[in-house]
């Protein structure tokens, strides 16, 4: 299998001969403007426009030969959203799109997608015996900033991959690691934070907990250096992991980087 870090939580996974695009946030740099309507932990970032960087390659290349989209949750830094309640304008509306619940499915149907599917915690067989299983997530330390999910991909000839999605470390993540024993774990780890919800995704301590629970897995830190409410960068995350003596155990890809397993 191959995994390419594109930008933020947007990744492309080639798995058992099929191509999956995860959380496709494809807007140009700074096109969304600054975060508005949220209480920021650091007011100094209030004027920073997002996305904070461009995509590493042309959208046409990113979207080429995609067999299915997987959207862990419908938030504007994970999926291109329009003010009129639709989104995904650049995506092929005939391509299968997997979402976490009925509400997100209705959003995709309203956006013109023809083949909308809902991930299940009991799992679904797709695309030639690939097993896709929804996993739970907790999107905030104070209160959830809306529902969020992750997923497991399994195939008899591939390594098991766990994309945790927007979640902090909590008992359900630990249980997922214990149940599935994934070979590859992708974590959203920039420690983005808002006053009302607390820390929204993992920080260095959470990454360390994942490592301790699954030390033989390839652990990848994604969702870095793209949103203004992040409190860790690639550089500072690497420094904190070094203090924990696990910097060499965690992969922190730059945008566009490809891993093959």
């Amino acid at each position: 299998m191959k995994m390419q870090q594109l930008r933020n939580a947007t990744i492309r996974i080639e798995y058992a001969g099929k191509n999956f695009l995860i959380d496709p946030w494809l807007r140009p740099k700074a096109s969304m403007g600054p975060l508005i309507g949220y209480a920021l932990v650091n007011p100094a970032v209030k004027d920073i426009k997002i996305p904070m960087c461009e995509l590493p390659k042309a959208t046409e290349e990113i979207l080429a030969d995609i067999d299915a989209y997987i959207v862990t949750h419908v938030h504007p830094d994970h999926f291109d959203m329009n003010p009129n309640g639709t989104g995904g304008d650049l995506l092929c509306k005939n391509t299968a799109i997997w979402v976490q619940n009925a509400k997100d499915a209705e959003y995709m149907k309203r956006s013109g997608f023809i083949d909308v599917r809902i991930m299940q915690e009991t799992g679904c067989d797709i695309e030639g015996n690939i097993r896709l299983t929804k996993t739970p997530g907790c999107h905030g330390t104070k209160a959830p900033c809306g529902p969020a999910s992750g997923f497991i991909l399994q195939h008899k000839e591939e390594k098991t991959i766990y994309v945790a999605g927007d979640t902090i470390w909590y008992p359900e993540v630990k249980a997922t690691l214990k149940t599935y024993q994934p070979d590859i774990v992708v974590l959203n780890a920039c420690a983005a934070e808002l006053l009302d919800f607390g820390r929204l995704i993992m920080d260095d301590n959470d990454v360390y907990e994942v490592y301790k629970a699954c030390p033989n897995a390839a652990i990848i830190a994604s969702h870095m250096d793209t949103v203004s409410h992040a409190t860790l960068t690639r550089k500072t995350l690497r420094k904190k992991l070094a203090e924990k003596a696990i910097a060499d155990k965690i992969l922190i890809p730059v945008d566009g980087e490809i891993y093959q397993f």
Side-chain angles (χ1 to χ4, degrees), residues 5 7-9 25 29 48-54 189-191 201 221-228 230-238 252-255:
Q5 171 68 40
R7 183 184 64 186
N8 207 52
W25 186 30
K29 178 182 178 180
I48 295 177
K49 297 179 180 180
I50 60 173
M52 291 168 57
C53 55
E54 295 286 7
C190 72
I201 57 178
S222 184
H223 203 306
M224 303 300 297
D225 293 346
T226 322
V227 294
S228 57
T231 60
L232 284 175
T233 65
R234 289 183 175 99
K235 182 178 180 179
T236 57
L237 175 60
R238 191 173 289 110
I252 308 178
V254 298
D255 290 349

PDB file of all heavy atoms in Angstrom, residues 5 7-9 25 29 48-54 189-191 201 221-228 230-238 252-255:
ATOM      1  N   GLN A   5       0.677  11.975   2.109  1.00  0.00           N
ATOM      2  CA  GLN A   5       0.207  13.137   2.845  1.00  0.00           C
ATOM      3  C   GLN A   5       0.046  14.286   1.851  1.00  0.00           C
ATOM      4  O   GLN A   5       0.988  14.632   1.136  1.00  0.00           O
ATOM      5  CB  GLN A   5       1.216  13.531   3.921  1.00  0.00           C
ATOM      6  CG  GLN A   5       0.932  14.859   4.595  1.00  0.00           C
ATOM      7  CD  GLN A   5      -0.315  14.837   5.449  1.00  0.00           C
ATOM      8  OE1 GLN A   5      -0.578  13.857   6.136  1.00  0.00           O
ATOM      9  NE2 GLN A   5      -1.087  15.903   5.401  1.00  0.00           N
ATOM     10  N   ARG A   7      -2.352  17.532   2.394  1.00  0.00           N
ATOM     11  CA  ARG A   7      -2.380  18.761   3.199  1.00  0.00           C
ATOM     12  C   ARG A   7      -3.412  18.583   4.296  1.00  0.00           C
ATOM     13  O   ARG A   7      -4.496  18.048   4.064  1.00  0.00           O
ATOM     14  CB  ARG A   7      -2.749  19.976   2.333  1.00  0.00           C
ATOM     15  CG  ARG A   7      -2.725  21.295   3.087  1.00  0.00           C
ATOM     16  CD  ARG A   7      -3.193  22.448   2.205  1.00  0.00           C
ATOM     17  NE  ARG A   7      -4.591  22.295   1.811  1.00  0.00           N
ATOM     18  CZ  ARG A   7      -5.209  23.109   0.936  1.00  0.00           C
ATOM     19  NH1 ARG A   7      -4.545  24.100   0.363  1.00  0.00           N
ATOM     20  NH2 ARG A   7      -6.469  22.908   0.635  1.00  0.00           N
ATOM     21  N   ASN A   8      -3.062  19.032   5.504  1.00  0.00           N
ATOM     22  CA  ASN A   8      -3.956  18.886   6.639  1.00  0.00           C
ATOM     23  C   ASN A   8      -4.322  17.413   6.820  1.00  0.00           C
ATOM     24  O   ASN A   8      -3.445  16.561   6.877  1.00  0.00           O
ATOM     25  CB  ASN A   8      -5.193  19.779   6.477  1.00  0.00           C
ATOM     26  CG  ASN A   8      -5.802  20.166   7.821  1.00  0.00           C
ATOM     27  OD1 ASN A   8      -5.100  20.657   8.701  1.00  0.00           O
ATOM     28  ND2 ASN A   8      -7.088  19.930   7.992  1.00  0.00           N
ATOM     29  N   ALA A   9      -5.619  17.077   6.883  1.00  0.00           N
ATOM     30  CA  ALA A   9      -6.010  15.672   7.020  1.00  0.00           C
ATOM     31  C   ALA A   9      -6.270  15.015   5.670  1.00  0.00           C
ATOM     32  O   ALA A   9      -6.735  13.871   5.614  1.00  0.00           O
ATOM     33  CB  ALA A   9      -7.261  15.565   7.893  1.00  0.00           C
ATOM     34  N   TRP A  25      -9.906  18.392   1.364  1.00  0.00           N
ATOM     35  CA  TRP A  25      -9.984  19.843   1.522  1.00  0.00           C
ATOM     36  C   TRP A  25      -9.061  20.440   0.471  1.00  0.00           C
ATOM     37  O   TRP A  25      -7.853  20.445   0.627  1.00  0.00           O
ATOM     38  CB  TRP A  25      -9.540  20.232   2.930  1.00  0.00           C
ATOM     39  CG  TRP A  25      -9.702  21.675   3.277  1.00  0.00           C
ATOM     40  CD1 TRP A  25     -10.639  22.548   2.808  1.00  0.00           C
ATOM     41  CD2 TRP A  25      -8.903  22.416   4.206  1.00  0.00           C
ATOM     42  NE1 TRP A  25     -10.478  23.786   3.379  1.00  0.00           N
ATOM     43  CE2 TRP A  25      -9.421  23.741   4.238  1.00  0.00           C
ATOM     44  CE3 TRP A  25      -7.804  22.099   5.004  1.00  0.00           C
ATOM     45  CZ2 TRP A  25      -8.870  24.734   5.049  1.00  0.00           C
ATOM     46  CZ3 TRP A  25      -7.255  23.097   5.811  1.00  0.00           C
ATOM     47  CH2 TRP A  25      -7.784  24.396   5.834  1.00  0.00           C
ATOM     48  N   LYS A  29      -4.794  28.199  -1.045  1.00  0.00           N
ATOM     49  CA  LYS A  29      -4.253  28.843   0.139  1.00  0.00           C
ATOM     50  C   LYS A  29      -4.986  30.149   0.442  1.00  0.00           C
ATOM     51  O   LYS A  29      -5.265  30.949  -0.455  1.00  0.00           O
ATOM     52  CB  LYS A  29      -2.762  29.121  -0.077  1.00  0.00           C
ATOM     53  CG  LYS A  29      -2.084  29.840   1.074  1.00  0.00           C
ATOM     54  CD  LYS A  29      -0.622  30.122   0.755  1.00  0.00           C
ATOM     55  CE  LYS A  29       0.055  30.897   1.879  1.00  0.00           C
ATOM     56  NZ  LYS A  29       1.477  31.186   1.580  1.00  0.00           N
ATOM     57  N   ILE A  48      -5.074  35.236  10.673  1.00  0.00           N
ATOM     58  CA  ILE A  48      -4.413  34.288   9.768  1.00  0.00           C
ATOM     59  C   ILE A  48      -5.460  33.596   8.901  1.00  0.00           C
ATOM     60  O   ILE A  48      -6.439  33.046   9.399  1.00  0.00           O
ATOM     61  CB  ILE A  48      -3.594  33.251  10.554  1.00  0.00           C
ATOM     62  CG1 ILE A  48      -2.441  33.933  11.292  1.00  0.00           C
ATOM     63  CG2 ILE A  48      -3.063  32.170   9.617  1.00  0.00           C
ATOM     64  CD1 ILE A  48      -1.621  32.997  12.145  1.00  0.00           C
ATOM     65  N   LYS A  49      -5.247  33.618   7.610  1.00  0.00           N
ATOM     66  CA  LYS A  49      -6.184  33.009   6.678  1.00  0.00           C
ATOM     67  C   LYS A  49      -5.827  31.536   6.465  1.00  0.00           C
ATOM     68  O   LYS A  49      -4.662  31.153   6.494  1.00  0.00           O
ATOM     69  CB  LYS A  49      -6.155  33.748   5.343  1.00  0.00           C
ATOM     70  CG  LYS A  49      -6.607  35.202   5.446  1.00  0.00           C
ATOM     71  CD  LYS A  49      -6.528  35.904   4.093  1.00  0.00           C
ATOM     72  CE  LYS A  49      -6.974  37.354   4.207  1.00  0.00           C
ATOM     73  NZ  LYS A  49      -6.912  38.046   2.892  1.00  0.00           N
ATOM     74  N   ILE A  50      -6.855  30.731   6.269  1.00  0.00           N
ATOM     75  CA  ILE A  50      -6.645  29.302   6.024  1.00  0.00           C
ATOM     76  C   ILE A  50      -7.270  28.900   4.694  1.00  0.00           C
ATOM     77  O   ILE A  50      -8.204  29.560   4.222  1.00  0.00           O
ATOM     78  CB  ILE A  50      -7.197  28.449   7.189  1.00  0.00           C
ATOM     79  CG1 ILE A  50      -8.705  28.669   7.379  1.00  0.00           C
ATOM     80  CG2 ILE A  50      -6.440  28.729   8.466  1.00  0.00           C
ATOM     81  CD1 ILE A  50      -9.315  27.735   8.403  1.00  0.00           C
ATOM     82  N   PRO A  51      -6.773  27.803   4.088  1.00  0.00           N
ATOM     83  CA  PRO A  51      -5.607  27.010   4.461  1.00  0.00           C
ATOM     84  C   PRO A  51      -4.336  27.868   4.480  1.00  0.00           C
ATOM     85  O   PRO A  51      -4.210  28.796   3.700  1.00  0.00           O
ATOM     86  CB  PRO A  51      -5.525  25.947   3.371  1.00  0.00           C
ATOM     87  CG  PRO A  51      -6.860  25.938   2.703  1.00  0.00           C
ATOM     88  CD  PRO A  51      -7.385  27.322   2.817  1.00  0.00           C
ATOM     89  N   MET A  52      -3.398  27.509   5.339  1.00  0.00           N
ATOM     90  CA  MET A  52      -2.180  28.291   5.488  1.00  0.00           C
ATOM     91  C   MET A  52      -1.129  27.958   4.443  1.00  0.00           C
ATOM     92  O   MET A  52      -0.090  28.620   4.383  1.00  0.00           O
ATOM     93  CB  MET A  52      -1.608  28.081   6.891  1.00  0.00           C
ATOM     94  CG  MET A  52      -2.470  28.693   7.985  1.00  0.00           C
ATOM     95  SD  MET A  52      -2.014  28.159   9.668  1.00  0.00           S
ATOM     96  CE  MET A  52      -0.296  28.637   9.741  1.00  0.00           C
ATOM     97  N   CYS A  53      -1.369  26.935   3.628  1.00  0.00           N
ATOM     98  CA  CYS A  53      -0.412  26.572   2.581  1.00  0.00           C
ATOM     99  C   CYS A  53      -1.175  26.033   1.375  1.00  0.00           C
ATOM    100  O   CYS A  53      -2.341  25.644   1.476  1.00  0.00           O
ATOM    101  CB  CYS A  53       0.586  25.537   3.088  1.00  0.00           C
ATOM    102  SG  CYS A  53      -0.173  24.054   3.765  1.00  0.00           S
ATOM    103  N   GLU A  54      -0.490  26.014   0.252  1.00  0.00           N
ATOM    104  CA  GLU A  54      -1.082  25.470  -0.966  1.00  0.00           C
ATOM    105  C   GLU A  54      -1.004  23.939  -0.949  1.00  0.00           C
ATOM    106  O   GLU A  54      -0.213  23.342  -0.201  1.00  0.00           O
ATOM    107  CB  GLU A  54      -0.339  25.993  -2.203  1.00  0.00           C
ATOM    108  CG  GLU A  54      -0.471  27.490  -2.425  1.00  0.00           C
ATOM    109  CD  GLU A  54      -1.833  27.917  -2.946  1.00  0.00           C
ATOM    110  OE1 GLU A  54      -2.749  27.071  -3.020  1.00  0.00           O
ATOM    111  OE2 GLU A  54      -1.965  29.110  -3.268  1.00  0.00           O
ATOM    112  N   ALA A 189      -2.576  15.476  14.611  1.00  0.00           N
ATOM    113  CA  ALA A 189      -1.753  15.716  15.795  1.00  0.00           C
ATOM    114  C   ALA A 189      -1.217  17.127  15.946  1.00  0.00           C
ATOM    115  O   ALA A 189      -0.175  17.332  16.576  1.00  0.00           O
ATOM    116  CB  ALA A 189      -0.588  14.723  15.799  1.00  0.00           C
ATOM    117  N   CYS A 190      -1.914  18.140  15.424  1.00  0.00           N
ATOM    118  CA  CYS A 190      -1.412  19.506  15.584  1.00  0.00           C
ATOM    119  C   CYS A 190      -1.940  20.175  16.845  1.00  0.00           C
ATOM    120  O   CYS A 190      -1.679  21.353  17.078  1.00  0.00           O
ATOM    121  CB  CYS A 190      -1.755  20.358  14.367  1.00  0.00           C
ATOM    122  SG  CYS A 190      -3.506  20.783  14.233  1.00  0.00           S
ATOM    123  N   ALA A 191      -2.714  19.420  17.665  1.00  0.00           N
ATOM    124  CA  ALA A 191      -3.235  19.952  18.932  1.00  0.00           C
ATOM    125  C   ALA A 191      -4.040  21.229  18.731  1.00  0.00           C
ATOM    126  O   ALA A 191      -3.943  22.177  19.528  1.00  0.00           O
ATOM    127  CB  ALA A 191      -2.106  20.174  19.934  1.00  0.00           C
ATOM    128  N   ILE A 201      -7.899  17.815  18.872  1.00  0.00           N
ATOM    129  CA  ILE A 201      -7.260  16.610  18.342  1.00  0.00           C
ATOM    130  C   ILE A 201      -5.987  16.327  19.153  1.00  0.00           C
ATOM    131  O   ILE A 201      -5.733  16.969  20.153  1.00  0.00           O
ATOM    132  CB  ILE A 201      -6.966  16.727  16.829  1.00  0.00           C
ATOM    133  CG1 ILE A 201      -6.085  17.948  16.529  1.00  0.00           C
ATOM    134  CG2 ILE A 201      -8.262  16.796  16.032  1.00  0.00           C
ATOM    135  CD1 ILE A 201      -5.708  18.094  15.060  1.00  0.00           C
ATOM    136  N   ALA A 221       2.017  11.227  11.903  1.00  0.00           N
ATOM    137  CA  ALA A 221       1.381  12.446  12.384  1.00  0.00           C
ATOM    138  C   ALA A 221       0.949  13.296  11.195  1.00  0.00           C
ATOM    139  O   ALA A 221       1.775  13.801  10.440  1.00  0.00           O
ATOM    140  CB  ALA A 221       2.340  13.227  13.284  1.00  0.00           C
ATOM    141  N   SER A 222      -0.352  13.448  11.051  1.00  0.00           N
ATOM    142  CA  SER A 222      -0.956  14.218   9.962  1.00  0.00           C
ATOM    143  C   SER A 222      -1.623  15.465  10.536  1.00  0.00           C
ATOM    144  O   SER A 222      -1.511  15.752  11.717  1.00  0.00           O
ATOM    145  CB  SER A 222      -1.959  13.321   9.223  1.00  0.00           C
ATOM    146  OG  SER A 222      -2.507  13.970   8.094  1.00  0.00           O
ATOM    147  N   HIS A 223      -2.308  16.233   9.650  1.00  0.00           N
ATOM    148  CA  HIS A 223      -3.064  17.425  10.074  1.00  0.00           C
ATOM    149  C   HIS A 223      -2.127  18.454  10.695  1.00  0.00           C
ATOM    150  O   HIS A 223      -2.404  19.015  11.756  1.00  0.00           O
ATOM    151  CB  HIS A 223      -4.148  17.011  11.070  1.00  0.00           C
ATOM    152  CG  HIS A 223      -5.314  17.962  11.185  1.00  0.00           C
ATOM    153  ND1 HIS A 223      -5.179  19.300  11.459  1.00  0.00           N
ATOM    154  CD2 HIS A 223      -6.660  17.727  11.112  1.00  0.00           C
ATOM    155  CE1 HIS A 223      -6.381  19.864  11.540  1.00  0.00           C
ATOM    156  NE2 HIS A 223      -7.292  18.932  11.310  1.00  0.00           N
ATOM    157  N   MET A 224      -1.015  18.749  10.007  1.00  0.00           N
ATOM    158  CA  MET A 224       0.003  19.646  10.552  1.00  0.00           C
ATOM    159  C   MET A 224       0.169  20.901   9.691  1.00  0.00           C
ATOM    160  O   MET A 224       0.026  20.856   8.471  1.00  0.00           O
ATOM    161  CB  MET A 224       1.351  18.921  10.632  1.00  0.00           C
ATOM    162  CG  MET A 224       1.357  17.631  11.457  1.00  0.00           C
ATOM    163  SD  MET A 224       0.887  17.827  13.199  1.00  0.00           S
ATOM    164  CE  MET A 224       2.190  18.895  13.802  1.00  0.00           C
ATOM    165  N   ASP A 225       0.459  22.021  10.355  1.00  0.00           N
ATOM    166  CA  ASP A 225       0.916  23.258   9.714  1.00  0.00           C
ATOM    167  C   ASP A 225      -0.051  23.818   8.669  1.00  0.00           C
ATOM    168  O   ASP A 225       0.379  24.366   7.648  1.00  0.00           O
ATOM    169  CB  ASP A 225       2.291  23.033   9.066  1.00  0.00           C
ATOM    170  CG  ASP A 225       3.386  22.773  10.089  1.00  0.00           C
ATOM    171  OD1 ASP A 225       3.155  23.024  11.280  1.00  0.00           O
ATOM    172  OD2 ASP A 225       4.475  22.313   9.688  1.00  0.00           O
ATOM    173  N   THR A 226      -1.350  23.721   8.930  1.00  0.00           N
ATOM    174  CA  THR A 226      -2.322  24.184   7.927  1.00  0.00           C
ATOM    175  C   THR A 226      -3.436  25.044   8.490  1.00  0.00           C
ATOM    176  O   THR A 226      -4.045  25.815   7.759  1.00  0.00           O
ATOM    177  CB  THR A 226      -2.974  22.981   7.206  1.00  0.00           C
ATOM    178  OG1 THR A 226      -2.015  21.966   7.006  1.00  0.00           O
ATOM    179  CG2 THR A 226      -3.547  23.388   5.866  1.00  0.00           C
ATOM    180  N   VAL A 227      -3.744  24.916   9.801  1.00  0.00           N
ATOM    181  CA  VAL A 227      -4.837  25.687  10.392  1.00  0.00           C
ATOM    182  C   VAL A 227      -4.303  26.587  11.497  1.00  0.00           C
ATOM    183  O   VAL A 227      -3.367  26.235  12.216  1.00  0.00           O
ATOM    184  CB  VAL A 227      -5.955  24.766  10.929  1.00  0.00           C
ATOM    185  CG1 VAL A 227      -6.634  24.033   9.775  1.00  0.00           C
ATOM    186  CG2 VAL A 227      -5.423  23.769  11.963  1.00  0.00           C
ATOM    187  N   SER A 228      -4.929  27.740  11.656  1.00  0.00           N
ATOM    188  CA  SER A 228      -4.407  28.771  12.554  1.00  0.00           C
ATOM    189  C   SER A 228      -4.599  28.444  14.026  1.00  0.00           C
ATOM    190  O   SER A 228      -3.885  28.983  14.885  1.00  0.00           O
ATOM    191  CB  SER A 228      -5.072  30.108  12.237  1.00  0.00           C
ATOM    192  OG  SER A 228      -6.486  30.003  12.338  1.00  0.00           O
ATOM    193  N   ALA A 230      -4.031  25.634  15.450  1.00  0.00           N
ATOM    194  CA  ALA A 230      -3.092  24.604  15.885  1.00  0.00           C
ATOM    195  C   ALA A 230      -2.160  25.173  16.952  1.00  0.00           C
ATOM    196  O   ALA A 230      -1.785  26.344  16.903  1.00  0.00           O
ATOM    197  CB  ALA A 230      -2.275  24.098  14.711  1.00  0.00           C
ATOM    198  N   THR A 231      -1.756  24.326  17.899  1.00  0.00           N
ATOM    199  CA  THR A 231      -0.797  24.755  18.919  1.00  0.00           C
ATOM    200  C   THR A 231       0.520  23.984  18.820  1.00  0.00           C
ATOM    201  O   THR A 231       1.441  24.249  19.579  1.00  0.00           O
ATOM    202  CB  THR A 231      -1.382  24.595  20.336  1.00  0.00           C
ATOM    203  OG1 THR A 231      -1.711  23.225  20.576  1.00  0.00           O
ATOM    204  CG2 THR A 231      -2.636  25.447  20.490  1.00  0.00           C
ATOM    205  N   LEU A 232       0.607  23.048  17.873  1.00  0.00           N
ATOM    206  CA  LEU A 232       1.856  22.363  17.575  1.00  0.00           C
ATOM    207  C   LEU A 232       2.131  22.458  16.079  1.00  0.00           C
ATOM    208  O   LEU A 232       1.212  22.371  15.261  1.00  0.00           O
ATOM    209  CB  LEU A 232       1.774  20.876  17.957  1.00  0.00           C
ATOM    210  CG  LEU A 232       1.866  20.500  19.432  1.00  0.00           C
ATOM    211  CD1 LEU A 232       1.634  18.999  19.594  1.00  0.00           C
ATOM    212  CD2 LEU A 232       3.209  20.900  20.027  1.00  0.00           C
ATOM    213  N   THR A 233       3.388  22.637  15.734  1.00  0.00           N
ATOM    214  CA  THR A 233       3.840  22.548  14.353  1.00  0.00           C
ATOM    215  C   THR A 233       4.620  21.250  14.184  1.00  0.00           C
ATOM    216  O   THR A 233       4.896  20.539  15.162  1.00  0.00           O
ATOM    217  CB  THR A 233       4.756  23.730  14.008  1.00  0.00           C
ATOM    218  OG1 THR A 233       5.950  23.631  14.813  1.00  0.00           O
ATOM    219  CG2 THR A 233       4.062  25.060  14.278  1.00  0.00           C
ATOM    220  N   ARG A 234       5.005  20.947  12.972  1.00  0.00           N
ATOM    221  CA  ARG A 234       5.866  19.781  12.777  1.00  0.00           C
ATOM    222  C   ARG A 234       7.136  19.911  13.616  1.00  0.00           C
ATOM    223  O   ARG A 234       7.590  18.961  14.244  1.00  0.00           O
ATOM    224  CB  ARG A 234       6.217  19.618  11.289  1.00  0.00           C
ATOM    225  CG  ARG A 234       5.052  19.167  10.409  1.00  0.00           C
ATOM    226  CD  ARG A 234       5.518  18.975   8.973  1.00  0.00           C
ATOM    227  NE  ARG A 234       4.458  18.436   8.122  1.00  0.00           N
ATOM    228  CZ  ARG A 234       3.709  19.171   7.309  1.00  0.00           C
ATOM    229  NH1 ARG A 234       3.893  20.484   7.242  1.00  0.00           N
ATOM    230  NH2 ARG A 234       2.765  18.601   6.568  1.00  0.00           N
ATOM    231  N   LYS A 235       7.709  21.114  13.619  1.00  0.00           N
ATOM    232  CA  LYS A 235       8.962  21.333  14.336  1.00  0.00           C
ATOM    233  C   LYS A 235       8.788  21.156  15.837  1.00  0.00           C
ATOM    234  O   LYS A 235       9.593  20.474  16.493  1.00  0.00           O
ATOM    235  CB  LYS A 235       9.491  22.740  14.024  1.00  0.00           C
ATOM    236  CG  LYS A 235      10.810  23.060  14.688  1.00  0.00           C
ATOM    237  CD  LYS A 235      11.292  24.449  14.293  1.00  0.00           C
ATOM    238  CE  LYS A 235      12.620  24.789  14.963  1.00  0.00           C
ATOM    239  NZ  LYS A 235      13.095  26.146  14.553  1.00  0.00           N
ATOM    240  N   THR A 236       7.741  21.750  16.410  1.00  0.00           N
ATOM    241  CA  THR A 236       7.569  21.649  17.858  1.00  0.00           C
ATOM    242  C   THR A 236       7.101  20.262  18.274  1.00  0.00           C
ATOM    243  O   THR A 236       7.465  19.784  19.357  1.00  0.00           O
ATOM    244  CB  THR A 236       6.590  22.719  18.372  1.00  0.00           C
ATOM    245  OG1 THR A 236       5.326  22.596  17.696  1.00  0.00           O
ATOM    246  CG2 THR A 236       7.152  24.115  18.143  1.00  0.00           C
ATOM    247  N   LEU A 237       6.323  19.599  17.440  1.00  0.00           N
ATOM    248  CA  LEU A 237       5.936  18.224  17.747  1.00  0.00           C
ATOM    249  C   LEU A 237       7.168  17.333  17.770  1.00  0.00           C
ATOM    250  O   LEU A 237       7.352  16.512  18.692  1.00  0.00           O
ATOM    251  CB  LEU A 237       4.925  17.705  16.729  1.00  0.00           C
ATOM    252  CG  LEU A 237       4.539  16.225  16.875  1.00  0.00           C
ATOM    253  CD1 LEU A 237       3.908  15.943  18.236  1.00  0.00           C
ATOM    254  CD2 LEU A 237       3.597  15.799  15.741  1.00  0.00           C
ATOM    255  N   ARG A 238       8.021  17.498  16.785  1.00  0.00           N
ATOM    256  CA  ARG A 238       9.239  16.681  16.733  1.00  0.00           C
ATOM    257  C   ARG A 238      10.100  16.915  17.975  1.00  0.00           C
ATOM    258  O   ARG A 238      10.662  15.966  18.552  1.00  0.00           O
ATOM    259  CB  ARG A 238      10.009  17.012  15.455  1.00  0.00           C
ATOM    260  CG  ARG A 238      11.153  16.057  15.150  1.00  0.00           C
ATOM    261  CD  ARG A 238      11.764  16.340  13.800  1.00  0.00           C
ATOM    262  NE  ARG A 238      10.871  15.951  12.706  1.00  0.00           N
ATOM    263  CZ  ARG A 238      10.243  16.819  11.908  1.00  0.00           C
ATOM    264  NH1 ARG A 238      10.398  18.119  12.078  1.00  0.00           N
ATOM    265  NH2 ARG A 238       9.475  16.390  10.929  1.00  0.00           N
ATOM    266  N   ILE A 252       6.567  12.063  10.547  1.00  0.00           N
ATOM    267  CA  ILE A 252       5.902  13.368  10.413  1.00  0.00           C
ATOM    268  C   ILE A 252       6.121  13.842   8.976  1.00  0.00           C
ATOM    269  O   ILE A 252       7.084  14.562   8.685  1.00  0.00           O
ATOM    270  CB  ILE A 252       6.445  14.387  11.431  1.00  0.00           C
ATOM    271  CG1 ILE A 252       6.409  13.807  12.851  1.00  0.00           C
ATOM    272  CG2 ILE A 252       5.629  15.677  11.371  1.00  0.00           C
ATOM    273  CD1 ILE A 252       6.971  14.746  13.913  1.00  0.00           C
ATOM    274  N   PRO A 253       5.265  13.435   8.058  1.00  0.00           N
ATOM    275  CA  PRO A 253       5.512  13.738   6.642  1.00  0.00           C
ATOM    276  C   PRO A 253       5.285  15.201   6.301  1.00  0.00           C
ATOM    277  O   PRO A 253       4.418  15.867   6.872  1.00  0.00           O
ATOM    278  CB  PRO A 253       4.477  12.858   5.931  1.00  0.00           C
ATOM    279  CG  PRO A 253       3.361  12.715   6.920  1.00  0.00           C
ATOM    280  CD  PRO A 253       4.036  12.658   8.268  1.00  0.00           C
ATOM    281  N   VAL A 254       6.068  15.696   5.358  1.00  0.00           N
ATOM    282  CA  VAL A 254       5.784  16.995   4.762  1.00  0.00           C
ATOM    283  C   VAL A 254       4.697  16.802   3.715  1.00  0.00           C
ATOM    284  O   VAL A 254       4.439  15.680   3.252  1.00  0.00           O
ATOM    285  CB  VAL A 254       7.043  17.617   4.136  1.00  0.00           C
ATOM    286  CG1 VAL A 254       8.096  17.855   5.194  1.00  0.00           C
ATOM    287  CG2 VAL A 254       7.590  16.732   3.017  1.00  0.00           C
ATOM    288  N   ASP A 255       4.051  17.887   3.333  1.00  0.00           N
ATOM    289  CA  ASP A 255       2.994  17.785   2.326  1.00  0.00           C
ATOM    290  C   ASP A 255       3.568  17.247   1.019  1.00  0.00           C
ATOM    291  O   ASP A 255       4.599  17.728   0.531  1.00  0.00           O
ATOM    292  CB  ASP A 255       2.349  19.146   2.095  1.00  0.00           C
ATOM    293  CG  ASP A 255       1.525  19.603   3.293  1.00  0.00           C
ATOM    294  OD1 ASP A 255       1.285  18.785   4.207  1.00  0.00           O
ATOM    295  OD2 ASP A 255       1.111  20.784   3.307  1.00  0.00           O
TER     296      ASP A 255
END
